[in-house]
Amino acid sequence: MTDDDLAELRAQAGQGSQDALDQLVELAAERRDLEELRRFAAQGSTDAVDLLIELASERGDVEELRRLADGGSRTAAEVLAELEEEYGPE
């Protein structure tokens, strides 16, 4: 994807295109761009939250899971509890 393509997707997402937003979220996850995923999550993207949880779980990133759980993500809280049960609290 070129920079122009990315800029066009961002413009479309800014105008309310859910399809463009979904593509941006997927691209951010593929790049493992946590900052961009966090921005999308803060804007209300549940897909971005789910992908952040998935990436954090893969890395064993308890702090990211805790941040998401503290932000109201039940799934993050469940994953965090599972990790703590398996490995003990940090």
Side-chain angles (χ1 to χ4, degrees):
M1 172 158 295
T2 67
D3 287 342
D4 288 342
D5 293 337
L6 197 53
E8 178 62 26
L9 275 178
R10 286 190 173 123
Q12 290 174 9
Q15 295 172 349
S17 170
Q18 187 62 46
D19 287 339
L21 178 60
D22 292 344
Q23 287 180 35
L24 288 170
V25 168
E26 287 298 320
L27 289 169
E30 287 173 12
R31 293 189 318 270
R32 297 189 174 285
D33 186 339
L34 299 180
E35 289 304 314
E36 189 160 34
L37 285 171
R38 287 180 189 125
R39 278 194 301 276
F40 292 134
Q43 295 169 3
S45 171
T46 56
D47 288 341
V49 172
D50 291 343
L51 289 166
L52 279 168
I53 293 167
E54 183 179 321
L55 292 172
S57 178
E58 288 172 2
R59 294 187 332 268
D61 187 344
V62 173
E63 291 304 315
E64 182 71 14
L65 289 167
R66 189 169 288 124
R67 184 187 72 77
L68 293 165
D70 289 347
S73 171
R74 176 183 285 155
T75 304
E78 291 170 357
V79 171
L80 182 61
E82 288 172 14
L83 284 176
E84 289 178 342
E85 186 177 296
E86 187 174 338
Y87 299 107
E90 192 174 287

